[in-house]
Amino acid sequence: MHRNTAFLILILLYTAIGNAVTGQTPTTAVKPSVIAGDVSSLGEKTAVVATKSGAVNVVFTDQTIFKRVSAVNPDFKSATDGVVTDIGVGDKLTVTGFLATDGKSIPARTVYFITKADIASKNAKESGEWRRRGVAGKVTNVNPQTGQLTIEVRGMVGSTNTVLTPKEGAQFLKYAPDSIRFDEAVASSLAEVNVGDMLRALGDKSTDGTSFAAERVITGAFRTIAGTVTSVDGEKNEIVIKNLQDNKDMTVAISDFTVIKRFPQELAERLAGAQMMGSAGGGARPAGRGNVQVRPVSPGGQPAPGAGGRPGPGGAGASGSIDDMVDRFPAISASELTVGDMIAFSSSKNGNADRVRAIKVLAGVEPFIRMAQAASGGRRGPGVDGSFTIPGLDSMGGP
């Protein structure tokens, strides 16, 4: 499932340590610094830590105190004693000390660390829980009187409506702009959820999948855009497309966290056919609707072992979740896209029509675009703001 709560752990730890340090230091004295990040390399008595502001060289001395922090309970007060040899590349470090004036080195007074292995173990457990007890879909109704939400949950063989009721004290989060990273989500509330938002929730679902008691809810407002690639700039990490809706150029910025994948041609044709057969009244519907069953396939386009796949969120049935299947495709780089490719991508909703930052990019989507254009009477613009659906494009990151 993508990235997880590791950075959230680090932020909580960073804040707690910062508060403790400032609380123990006279206001007239020079305050120790607190830096946090990932260990990118290790020396005998040094570690390079990649922080948000850049790389910092951490110097260990004979007076440096090492404390191991639990990934499950990231509270520095309950940290246990550690030694420098416990630290490895990829671990999360929070260091107190006096940062050099150039901001590039710090002799460490105290080093709090969470090991990469501990984080991986925590993430695996949380990801498994979200798969077993999670639901995902698009918000179709918000009832402020009852405090309930209705979401459309799409599966391989159809879509269902699920009524979500928050449990007492349920936590609401929302994705940060231009992000589907769970660890970057910010606090939210039921009042901030809108029709059309994408939603993921953790809790208890009914056996028929029509109701869900949620203890954690995360939402995001995204839009889908499709177009033909006119240029690719690898140095700038930018793609220029001809937007199919208005036939204008649009610059698509690719970040380190943008997910780029390509549909196998056979699978795209199969799913687009399912969309067409499931449509009624000339309107294109999301893949999986109607009575067409689409077997899960491997990234190479062949039927996956077991044919049934794992169940999708919200009890989508034995055929599994389309979004899960697409998420398992291998990632590609922007440099593998070429002029003339047709792509679709998701981004945060904003008012900029000329430049957007992509969250997820899918190539090989020509069959879906042709289907949408045919369903709309052959018009050039398929209605890229929601009148057609490309499987996997609107799925979001979890823990």
Side-chain angles (χ1 to χ4, degrees):
M1 244 190 302
H2 339 286
R3 299 195 184 239
N4 35 57
T5 55
F7 283 102
L8 181 58
I9 289 172
L10 202 59
I11 291 170
L12 293 173
L13 186 60
Y14 179 97
T15 303
I17 294 174
N19 290 339
V21 169
T22 55
Q24 296 171 1
T25 306
T27 56
T28 56
V30 177
K31 295 179 181 179
S33 303
V34 181
I35 65 105
D38 295 354
V39 177
S40 59
S41 64
L42 279 169
E44 185 176 350
K45 292 188 176 181
T46 60
V48 177
V49 176
T51 75
K52 288 187 176 181
S53 302
V56 176
N57 189 50
V58 178
V59 180
F60 306 134
T61 71
D62 293 339
Q63 287 74 44
T64 301
I65 298 172
F66 297 92
K67 292 287 186 178
R68 183 167 185 160
V69 180
S70 167
V72 177
N73 179 30
D75 179 2
F76 78 102
K77 293 180 180 178
S78 60
T80 58
D81 292 339
V83 293
V84 65
T85 53
D86 291 335
I87 299 173
V89 173
D91 290 355
K92 305 291 180 182
L93 258 61
T94 301
V95 180
T96 67
F98 293 95
L99 192 64
T101 54
D102 61 3
K104 294 183 179 180
S105 65
I106 182 171
R109 294 175 58 180
T110 306
V111 176
Y112 296 86
F113 64 95
I114 306 175
T115 68
K116 183 179 179 180
D118 286 351
I119 293 172
S121 176
K122 172 185 168 62
N123 292 340
K125 182 177 179 180
E126 288 189 348
S127 295
E129 185 178 24
W130 277 77
R131 283 195 298 270
R132 291 189 302 271
R133 302 181 58 230
V135 68
K138 179 176 289 187
V139 178
T140 58
N141 185 63
V142 179
N143 190 328
Q145 284 73 37
T146 63
Q148 294 177 311
L149 305 168
T150 302
I151 62 173
E152 181 187 44
V153 180
R154 187 175 70 242
M156 291 292 270
V157 295
S159 62
T160 60
N161 288 326
T162 298
V163 177
L164 186 147
T165 304
K167 295 182 180 181
E168 183 177 356
Q171 180 189 30
F172 279 82
L173 299 168
K174 64 180 178 181
Y175 287 100
D178 298 323
S179 172
I180 53 171
R181 288 180 52 186
F182 190 88
D183 54 280
E184 292 182 344
V186 297
S188 185
S189 66
L190 177 67
E192 295 185 70
V193 181
N194 298 303
V195 171
D197 287 354
M198 299 306 300
L199 177 148
R200 291 176 60 89
L202 178 70
D204 302 310
K205 55 191 170 188
S206 62
T207 54
D208 61 2
T210 60
S211 62
F212 192 92
E215 54 201 50
R216 299 182 77 183
V217 179
I218 181 166
T219 60
F222 308 107
R223 61 175 174 169
T224 299
I225 299 172
T228 303
V229 175
T230 60
S231 68
V232 178
D233 190 324
E235 291 186 2
K236 292 183 178 179
N237 270 336
E238 292 180 349
I239 303 168
V240 177
I241 67 164
K242 185 74 70 176
N243 189 334
L244 287 182
Q245 187 177 34
D246 57 18
N247 209 36
K248 294 181 179 179
D249 286 343
M250 172 180 282
T251 300
V252 183
I254 305 297
S255 73
D256 291 339
F257 302 112
T258 301
V259 177
I260 310 177
K261 303 202 174 186
R262 185 185 296 275
F263 261 99
Q265 183 177 354
E266 180 184 350
L267 174 61
E269 295 284 357
R270 191 184 308 164
L271 291 180
Q275 285 187 344
M276 179 63 78
M277 293 180 66
S279 65
R285 293 183 179 180
R289 290 189 179 182
N291 297 319
V292 179
Q293 180 165 342
V294 182
R295 291 186 299 161
V297 297
S298 67
Q302 299 300 316
R310 71 173 185 257
S319 293
S321 163
I322 294 176
D323 292 340
D324 284 347
M325 180 178 63
V326 174
D327 283 344
R328 291 195 291 271
F329 292 167
I332 65 174
S333 65
S335 62
E336 295 179 64
L337 301 175
T338 59
V339 172
D341 280 351
M342 189 170 287
I343 65 171
F345 63 91
S346 61
S347 67
S348 296
K349 291 183 178 179
N350 57 52
N352 193 337
D354 300 322
R355 180 183 175 85
V356 295
R357 185 178 298 276
I359 296 172
K360 180 180 286 189
V361 178
L362 290 180
V365 298
E366 291 89 342
F368 301 101
I369 303 302
R370 292 198 305 267
M371 178 277 301
Q373 290 172 341
S376 62
R379 293 189 301 273
R380 175 65 175 170
V384 294
D385 287 322
S387 64
F388 78 104
T389 296
I390 294 178
L393 192 57
D394 53 9
S395 62
M396 303 178 298

